[in-house]
Amino acid sequence: MMNTTDLSEESLESILKRLRRIEGQVRGLQKMIEAGRPCEEVLTQMSATKKAMEAASNTILREFLTLCATDIARGDTKKPEQIAVLLRKFAS
């Protein structure tokens, strides 16, 4: 199984930067709710937050698949099943 320590430095930095931005978005959402902002504005911000989470997930998935492809090329017969399990989780 791949760990986040296996990610490239560039991907890791990108993911962490994105997660920090998401953290700020979530705090902003809490303030919007507390302030009684219009539902449309809140939902727009929630959509942006969801898309940011998906982008972070996609980065991790791309790295995982790249590393798995390398392992498969080296003869690892367990990787295809690991990929299938992850894709089922990711698609849900």
Side-chain angles (χ1 to χ4, degrees), residues 53-86:
M53 284 292 292
E54 288 171 356
S57 295
N58 286 336
T59 300
I60 293 173
L61 180 61
R62 184 179 61 247
E63 288 276 333
F64 176 80
L65 293 174
T66 299
L67 290 170
C68 284
T70 302
D71 290 344
I72 290 169
R74 292 182 183 147
D76 187 335
T77 59
K78 295 180 182 179
K79 287 297 178 192
E81 180 59 27
Q82 289 177 351
I83 291 171
V85 168
L86 181 67

